[in-house]
Amino acid sequence: MARTRLRQGLRLCIIDTEGIEPERLETVPGETLMHAWDPPPRESSRPDSKFWKELAAYKPRHWLLRGPDIVGLSAGQNLEIFEVGRHGIGVMVKNEEEDLVWALQGYVINLAGVAAEQVPSLGEFLRRKGVEDLVNQVATDYQEAKPYGMFDKAHVLLSTLLILPLLGLNVTGWMLTAHSNPGILELCRGLFLFIVCVPIYRFGSSFWGEAFAAHYTYPSFHAIITVCSVAVSMIIPYLFRALGLGIPSTMMMVSSGAMTLIGCSVVQLCWQKRMGRLSKNFWRHLFWGCTVVALSFGVWLLLYAAASVYILLISMQSSFSVIFLPVTTWLLECGTVLGTTAATRMVVFHPRHEGKASAIDGDQRLHVIPCAIACAHGFSEATRLAATVAGAVRTGGTGGITALTLGVFLNLWARSGWGRFSLIWSTSKILNIAPEFVAKRVKPLKVLAPTLFSKLHDEVKVTLGYPRFAVLAALVLSWLLADQLSAIFGTKPMQLPDNWDSALIICGVALAFEITEDMIVLGMDSCLQAPITPKAMEYFQSFECEYPYQCLAVVMRDDYLCPSTYDNVSRRTSVSSMLRKGPSKVAMDTLAVTHLGPRDSTYSGTLRRRFGQRSVVHHAKGLHGLRKCKFVVVLGMTMTAATFTLILLELLLGPSYVYGQCSQPLPLVESLLKALFWNGLTCE
């Protein structure tokens, strides 16, 4: 059942009541459906259970959990099961003072007191209850209630380690065969890049394939278009030779395969329309797929331009370069996230919410949306590193450290939440004294408030900032290895690059900054979270639970019911009816107000109350229990970011320098002219 529910994007919570006294378990008749989603605290998970090895239940972040929730009752806690008719609809766990500890809404299967021999199988038990279709039943309402796909940290680490041999083999092989005879040269060029492109194209088949053709992308579809894309990239060198264009660049070969992926995905969409599956929403799927392509390729090309302008400013010895690179890459990254949020709201969420027949099919949240955000972050981080390394090589100095420092402050400003809060708070204060016509038109929350996607963006930053460093490690190892092998194969000796000591210093500083930034953000998440003001709380209450702009899910109010009121409330009253007796009204279908216990007494809670936040807030329900993307997708995503770093170095320093044929980088104009094809790896 755990596997089935996880595949459906739903949750499974197993409450172990073995050895619990009967008086601590109670069935309570409820009046209506519980509006409760206050998940068990992290310390209640049991990683030593038998589910650990099979389903990997662990919690790397405060709202991440994979596998089932496996919880038990602590000392002094009681379990209440709410029922409507004969069906359990939710559970509440309270302490000895009758304060709510945690609560969940959902169908309850009560096996307490049932002997194992009386339950031959879960299916048989559900059949006796008259709900045998529960396991496989998923209503269409759950299409937007599924948690997002995510890049698992272990998978990202393994993928980063695989970059070293895969990319290193490509670079070393090309260094040794760059001056081969025609025919062999084209074969080696395609063969060595084939190793790098296979995981990239497999990732692209999920990314763009699902954007265009939704869930009609079968394993055979992924395999076919991956093979087609690899074949096209291997044919490109021979085509360039026939046209007399020289050697295709890495950017040209990778992009040609990507264009093949997109073309095959459009063909699949047209085929599904012909088969009658996507006929009603064909144009919306086509528009959504084109939007995803524009977002991913758009940020790719704009970051190319930003890196080139940065090198140009450095060559002009302009102090503006220190500000230009971090600010531009940060704005492009945030702009891509905002664009993805707006496009998802307009193209995916609203048509589904309104019940239109032309709504997008399939779960776009498993691969498409997370990968679009991951592309923006991975490419931006690669640009910052590659541009500052190229600047160090061209100038022989370490002035890029200043740009990296500013980039760290911008990332901390965005990731910690305090920069966003201070801007909203100060703008609101200014609007209080501004003329009325200005205050009515300027709404800082609409522009600056965090969203579900910005929270997802924060999580991506923890995992995808490191693959770029593997590229530089692979380059250094390839230079050393190719220099040793050149004597054995009788090829031209490698020209070990000049000024690479400055580049390694930049790389080391960037890695130290990345680790420090993550440690600061993770520390602030646990002890110094930015507050949410009452106005922001009202703003979020106007959204549906699964609205893309909704970044809250559970508000635990310490002031919603006073202790005297709570003591007079019957324990047999449902949460929703208790809330209706409270002093204020809330949108019951948006934010779930569930916690009626004491206020947060930590330093972080005290600080937030000083800024007007009298509630304890959990992050969005859509982000709880994030599903892991497949390893092939994670490997392809990290390899894409790594290849982008290599392509940028080729663009900014020239391919002859990167591949060890020249000790000095080419002039900037010459290297930019080699963006698409090379007339041999010459030093002129």
Side-chain angles (χ1 to χ4, degrees), residues 347-406:
V347 183
V348 179
F349 175 79
H350 276 311
R352 283 181 174 176
H353 184 65
E354 296 168 2
K356 293 184 178 179
S358 60
I360 295 288
D361 279 358
D363 181 13
Q364 300 296 311
R365 295 187 173 192
L366 179 57
H367 292 137
V368 179
I369 292 173
C371 289
I373 295 175
C375 282
H377 178 67
F379 294 164
S380 297
E381 293 282 31
T383 302
R384 282 189 279 269
L385 180 63
T388 50
V389 165
V393 169
R394 288 189 175 276
T395 62
T398 56
I401 294 179
T402 308
L404 291 175
T405 305
L406 179 57

Side-chain angles (χ1 to χ4, degrees), residues 37-43 45 58-66 69 153 415-416 454-456 458-459 462 518 521-530 551-552 554 608 616-621 623-626:
W37 190 85
D38 190 357
R42 73 174 71 185
E43 57 268 16
S45 284
Y58 65 98
K59 212 167 197 178
R61 292 269 280 168
H62 54 279
W63 41 257
L64 278 160
L65 180 64
R66 299 174 181 86
D69 296 292
K153 291 180 176 63
R415 295 176 64 181
S416 67
S454 67
K455 294 298 180 184
L456 183 63
D458 291 341
E459 176 62 26
V462 179
D518 287 343
V521 172
L522 292 175
M524 295 181 72
D525 274 350
S526 60
C527 65
L528 200 63
Q529 294 182 9
C551 78
L552 304 181
V554 180
R608 289 196 299 269
V616 181
V617 179
H618 286 194
H619 288 303
K621 182 179 179 180
L623 296 177
H624 180 76
L626 298 184

